[in-house]
Amino acid sequence: MATLLYRLGRFAFRRRHFTALFWVALLALAGAGAAGAPAAGNSSFSIPGTEAQKAFDLLEERFPGSSADGATARVVFKAPDGGKMTDADHRATVEKTVGELSDGSEVARVTDPYEGGGVSKDGTVAYASVSYKVSGMELEDSSRDALEGAAEDARDAGLTVEIGGDALQAVPHTGAAEVIGIGVAAVVLVITFGSLLAAGLPLLTAIVGVGIGVASITALASTLDLGSTTSILASMIGLAVGIDYALFVVSRYRAELAEGREREEAAGRAVGTAGSAVVFAGLTVVIALVGLSVVNIPMLTKMGVAAAGTVALAVLIALTLIPALLGYAGRRVRPAGEKSKLLGGGRAAKKPRRPNMGTRWASFVVRRPVAVLLLGVVGLGAAAVPAASLELGLPDDGSQSTSTTQRRAYDLLSEGFGPGFNGPLVVVVDAKDSDDPKAVFQQAGDDIKGLDNVVNVSPAAPNEAGDTATITVIPDSKPSSVTTEDLVHDIRDTGADIKADTEADVLVTGSTAMNIDVSQKLNDALVPYLVLVVGLAFLLLIVVFRSILVPLKAALGFLLSVLAALGAVVAVYQWGWLSGLMGVEETGPIMSMMPIFMVGVVFGLAMDYEVFLVTRMREAHVHGEKPAQAVVTGFKYSARVVTAAAVIMMAVFSGFIGSSEQMVKMIGFGLAVAVLFDAFVVRMAIVPAVLALLGDKAWWLPKWLDRILPNVDVEGEGLRTEDDKKDDNRELVRA
C-alpha cells in the first residue's frame, strides 16, 4: 500500500499539470451536468415492508386519480376578537377565497369549510383543504403565488389567515453554514501551518471535492430521485473530511521536508504514509455510510451513498491533487516548524524550543493513565445519561419556527379543533374478499369509535368499486405524542380482530402513522447496523494495526462518544437545555433517523482520528521504541494536526445548526458534539491511557492470524532506506 501510494504521490508531483487539469475538467463536467439537469422533484418517501406504506400503495391502486402523493395545503382562518367565522361577512370572504383557490390548473380539489365540517365548535376557526395534482417540490411558482395571494386577500378583509401543509414547502437552506465552517477552518489552518499558502491548499482541494460531489448529486437528482437534503449532508461531510484528509497529507509533507528530503521525495513519502492512513480512514467512513442501506429506507440509503461518494472524492483528491499543488507551490510551502515571514517567520530563536503541547500532554497521560482513564469514562458516562430518556419521532409543522406560516397554522388548528387534528390517521379498509363490504366498513368505524383517545371518526368513504373505503380518525393528542402512537397500535389490533372475523384488511396510514413506522423500522435496524459496520471496520483496523486490542479499544471508545453525543442531543432538543442558544423553539421527540445516522457518520469520523493518531504510534513502535515512548512520539507528531482537524470538523458541523431544516440542524449539532467528545476525550485521553496500561500487549496478534493477514504497510516501512534505519538506531541509543 505505502509503496503504491508513494509512487502515486511522486507521479502527481511530477505530472502536476496533467493532474490539476484532470480535476478541473471533472469539476467543469460535473458543473455542466448540474446546470443542464432538470429540476429535481420531491424525493419519494417510501418505507418498504411497513403497514403505512402498504396502505398508501393500496390507496393509489383502489382510488385512481386521488393524487395520494400530491401536495396539500390547509388554509386556516380565524375571526377577529368577538367575531365568528359563521358571520355573514366572514363567510363571504372565505367562500370568495375558496373560489380563488379552485382556479389553478394544478389544483385537484378544494373543500369548503362550511360544507365539509371545517368550522370549529366555538365558530372562531375554520379551514379549507386544497389538494394538488403534483408534489410540493413540483408545484409551479404560479400555484404557490396564487395560494399566498388568496390568503393575503382574506387578510385584507380582516381575517387572520395562515397556511399549513407541504404546498409551501421550501428547499432547505443552511444560511452561512459553509462560510462559517470555511472561515474557522482557514484560521485554524493558518495557526497550524504558520503559512497562508499551506493553509490554503486543504481549503482549495476540499472546495473542489465538495463542488464535484454536490454538482454530481444535482445532475443526478432527478434521475435517481434524490431529495434536497442529500446534497446538504454530502457537502457537510465532504467539506469536513476533505479539509482533514488534505491537512494530514500537507502536514506530513512539511515534516518530511524538515527531515531534509527533496520536495518530490517528500511528496511521495507524505502520500505513502499519511496517504495510507487517509485511505483506511476514508474506507471506514464509506463503510459506515453505505451500511445505512441495511435499514431499507430508500431515502436514507441514497443519502448515505451520496455522502460516501463525496468522501471517496476527498480521499482521491488528497492523494493526487494535493501533491500536484505542492509541486506548484515549490519552496513557498516551508518545512514543519518554519513560519512564513508574513506570520513572523525568519526571526532568530531567543531560547531553545521546549517539547510541544502534544508531547507534554502525552507524557502526563502516560504517568497518570488510571486517573485520566477514569475521568474520561465517568465524564462521558455522565453526558450519556439523558440518552436513557430518548424518544424518537419525525418532525412535523409543530416543530417549525413560530415565524413560519406553517407553524402558525398548526397552532390555530390545535386551538380550534384540538392537537390531534394536525395528525389525522387514515384507516384503509380493504373488504374485497369480504361477503358484505358495507357491513365491514360500518363495523370498522364503530370499533374505532370505542377506542380511547379518539375525538372523531368520519363515515367510511368507499371507492367506486365499493370494495375499499377510507375512514379518517382524529386523535385527542398531538401527532408526535406517545399517546397517538398507542392509538395507532390499538387500531391495528382492532383491525386484526376484524380480519379474523370478516377476512377484511384494516390498515392505518397517513403522515403520523408513517412516522411511527419509520421510527420502529429504524429502531429494529440499529443493532444489525451496528454489528455490520463495527464488525467490518474492526476487521479493517486489525489489518491496519495488526493488533486485536487496539481495534477493540477503538470500537468501545466510539460507543462511549456516540452515547454521550446522543445524551447531549436529548438534553437540548428533547429536554430543552440551552434550547434558546441553539435556536430550538419547540422541544419534542428526537428525529428517528438521528441515532442511526449519527452512529454511521460518527463511527467513520472516530476511526479517522484513531487511524491518524495510532498509526503514528505504531510507526514509532515498529521502529523500535518502547510502548510508552511510542505513545508520546505519536502525540508529538500527530496531536497538533488531529486537534486542528477536530476543530475544523466541529466548525463545519456547527455551521449547519443554523439550517432551516430541522433534520440538518439536529444532525449538525449532534455531529459537532460527537467530534468534541471523540477527538478530545476518547482519542486524546482515553486512547493513550489505555495504550500506556496495556504496554506491549496492545500490539499483540496471534501468530496464525499474523501469517494470513495481508501486509498493507501503513507505517511506510517499505519506504525506509538504510540511512533512515541508521538514524532510528542513533535515536534509540540516545533515548
Side-chain angles (χ1 to χ4, degrees):
M1 170 71 78
T3 304
L4 177 64
L5 293 178
Y6 166 79
R7 292 171 182 165
L8 178 63
R10 294 195 63 166
F11 171 83
F13 189 94
R14 285 197 310 272
R15 301 289 187 267
R16 61 188 72 107
H17 300 315
F18 168 79
T19 305
L21 183 62
F22 170 81
W23 286 109
V24 170
L26 193 59
L27 179 61
L29 184 64
N42 192 27
S43 178
S44 59
F45 189 78
S46 62
I47 310 100
T50 62
E51 180 175 314
Q53 186 65 46
K54 181 180 177 182
F56 185 83
D57 294 340
L58 187 64
L59 281 175
E60 291 196 320
E61 175 189 340
R62 303 285 176 84
F63 292 82
S66 62
S67 302
D69 60 345
T72 59
R74 274 179 168 176
V75 182
V76 187
F77 308 88
K78 183 178 181 181
D81 292 341
K84 301 282 187 179
M85 291 306 304
T86 51
D87 294 346
D89 53 343
H90 297 330
R91 180 165 185 157
T93 299
V94 172
E95 290 176 346
K96 178 184 177 184
T97 303
V98 168
E100 292 178 10
L101 293 171
S102 304
D103 289 341
S105 60
E106 293 182 318
V107 175
R109 60 189 172 276
V110 180
T111 61
D112 188 310
Y114 302 101
E115 296 177 2
V119 181
S120 64
K121 289 182 180 180
D122 63 5
T124 60
V125 179
Y127 74 92
S129 293
V130 186
S131 299
Y132 292 88
K133 301 173 184 177
V134 296
S135 66
M137 297 298 286
E138 295 171 316
L139 270 181
E140 296 287 342
D141 288 341
S142 58
S143 295
R144 289 196 180 93
D145 292 341
L147 176 61
E148 292 178 316
E152 191 60 38
D153 289 343
R155 290 191 190 104
D156 292 341
L159 298 178
T160 298
V161 186
E162 304 295 347
I163 305 171
D166 61 352
L168 295 183
Q169 179 180 353
V171 176
H173 61 84
T174 56
E178 294 91 345
V179 177
I180 293 172
I182 292 173
V184 174
V187 173
V188 173
L189 289 170
V190 170
I191 294 173
T192 303
F193 290 141
S195 166
L196 294 175
L197 182 62
L201 295 182
L203 290 174
L204 176 61
T205 54
I207 291 171
V208 169
V210 169
I212 295 173
V214 172
S216 300
I217 291 171
T218 304
L220 298 172
S222 179
T223 304
L224 301 181
D225 191 27
L226 303 178
S228 55
T229 306
T230 303
S231 61
I232 294 177
L233 294 176
S235 66
M236 178 197 300
I237 296 169
L239 187 62
V241 300
I243 294 174
D244 279 8
Y245 294 165
L247 166 63
F248 283 104
V249 174
V250 174
S251 178
R252 188 59 184 256
Y253 171 76
R254 296 177 72 235
E256 297 292 338
L257 289 180
E259 293 182 9
R261 292 189 173 88
E262 293 296 327
R263 294 185 177 275
E264 184 177 326
E265 176 69 11
R269 284 180 173 250
V271 175
T273 52
S276 296
V278 165
V279 169
F280 282 100
L283 271 176
T284 59
V285 181
V286 169
I287 288 173
L289 290 170
V290 173
L292 291 170
S293 58
V294 302
V295 184
N296 196 28
I297 294 180
M299 184 183 77
L300 194 60
T301 299
K302 292 170 186 176
M303 285 166 53
V305 172
T310 309
V311 172
L313 277 172
V315 171
L316 293 173
I317 285 176
L319 300 179
T320 56
L321 186 56
I322 280 291
L325 295 179
L326 289 172
Y328 284 119
R331 298 185 179 278
R332 285 169 289 183
V333 174
R334 299 171 180 271
E338 292 186 19
K339 296 182 179 180
S340 66
K341 292 182 179 180
L342 181 63
L343 298 174
R347 300 172 187 170
K350 294 182 180 179
K351 58 182 178 180
R353 296 180 62 187
R354 63 172 183 164
N356 64 19
M357 180 64 76
T359 302
R360 298 198 301 275
W361 169 250
S363 299
F364 169 78
V365 174
V366 166
R367 290 196 305 270
R368 301 283 188 275
V370 176
V372 172
L373 178 60
L374 288 176
L375 185 62
V377 171
V378 170
L380 290 179
V385 168
S389 304
L390 177 68
E391 295 178 8
L392 297 178
L394 285 179
D396 53 27
D397 284 348
S399 64
Q400 294 200 39
S401 169
T402 52
S403 63
T404 63
T405 186
Q406 291 93 333
R407 171 60 187 278
R408 292 195 292 265
Y410 179 98
D411 292 340
L412 284 177
L413 287 172
S414 296
E415 175 189 332
F417 298 91
F421 199 79
N422 284 291
L425 305 175
V426 180
V427 178
V428 182
V429 184
D430 179 8
K432 190 172 185 179
D433 298 329
S434 175
D435 295 333
D436 188 354
K438 289 184 178 180
V440 172
F441 301 155
Q442 184 64 42
Q443 179 185 348
D446 291 342
D447 289 352
I448 293 171
K449 285 179 183 177
L451 297 175
D452 294 334
N453 193 40
V454 173
V455 172
N456 184 55
V457 177
S458 70
N463 62 349
E464 290 185 6
D467 58 6
T468 307
T470 60
I471 300 172
T472 301
V473 180
I474 305 298
D476 188 36
S477 51
K478 65 180 182 179
S480 59
S481 70
V482 176
T483 309
T484 301
E485 182 177 349
D486 291 340
L487 175 60
V488 170
H489 293 311
D490 290 343
I491 295 174
R492 287 172 175 171
D493 291 340
T494 301
D497 296 336
I498 294 174
K499 182 174 177 61
D501 295 338
T502 65
E503 296 298 321
D505 285 323
V506 178
L507 308 173
V508 186
T509 188
S511 60
T512 301
M514 194 79 80
N515 290 350
I516 291 169
D517 286 352
V518 168
S519 298
Q520 186 60 51
K521 194 175 183 70
L522 288 165
N523 282 341
D524 295 342
L526 185 57
V527 173
Y529 175 70
L530 266 174
V531 172
L532 172 69
V533 171
V534 176
L536 288 175
F538 181 76
L539 295 176
L540 187 64
L541 292 178
I542 289 177
V543 174
V544 173
F545 295 128
R546 307 195 75 79
S547 163
I548 297 293
L549 295 180
V550 171
L552 180 61
K553 163 197 61 64
L556 293 176
F558 150 73
L559 291 175
L560 266 177
S561 59
V562 79
L563 283 174
L566 277 175
V569 170
V570 169
V572 173
Y573 288 88
Q574 187 175 309
W575 290 1
W577 294 5
L578 301 177
S579 57
L581 182 63
M582 297 298 167
V584 182
E585 296 192 24
E586 184 74 22
T587 59
I590 302 304
M591 184 187 57
S592 53
M593 291 185 184
M594 184 70 188
I596 200 164
F597 193 84
M598 179 182 281
V599 164
V601 177
V602 173
F603 184 79
L605 300 180
M607 295 307 103
D608 277 2
Y609 300 123
E610 180 76 13
V611 169
F612 289 129
L613 192 59
V614 180
T615 296
R616 201 66 191 250
M617 297 179 191
R618 174 163 174 77
E619 185 178 338
H621 182 68
V622 167
H623 293 169
E625 292 187 7
K626 294 180 179 180
Q629 183 57 40
V631 171
V632 175
T633 300
F635 268 75
K636 175 183 177 181
Y637 291 109
S638 300
R640 180 183 178 90
V641 181
V642 168
T643 300
V647 171
I648 289 169
M649 212 169 258
M650 287 168 57
V652 171
F653 291 147
S654 296
F656 286 85
I657 295 174
S659 172
S660 63
E661 179 72 29
Q662 181 76 357
M663 181 171 71
V664 176
K665 180 194 293 282
M666 194 179 293
I667 287 177
F669 172 79
L671 294 183
V673 172
V675 169
L676 172 67
F677 289 151
D678 196 86
F680 293 104
V681 181
V682 175
R683 308 305 152 188
M684 290 289 185
I686 294 178
V687 165
V690 171
L691 291 178
L693 290 171
L694 290 175
D696 286 318
K697 295 177 183 177
W699 309 108
W700 171 78
L701 187 70
K703 291 183 179 179
W704 63 268
L705 185 57
D706 189 37
R707 286 194 297 270
I708 64 175
L709 285 179
N711 184 9
V712 296
D713 189 22
V714 177
E715 301 84 16
E717 183 67 16
L719 305 180
R720 299 175 70 234
T721 63
E722 288 301 320
D723 289 339
D724 293 332
K725 295 174 183 177
K726 289 177 182 178
D727 290 341
D728 284 343
N729 290 332
R730 283 194 289 270
E731 288 291 330
L732 288 173
V733 169
R734 283 205 249 0

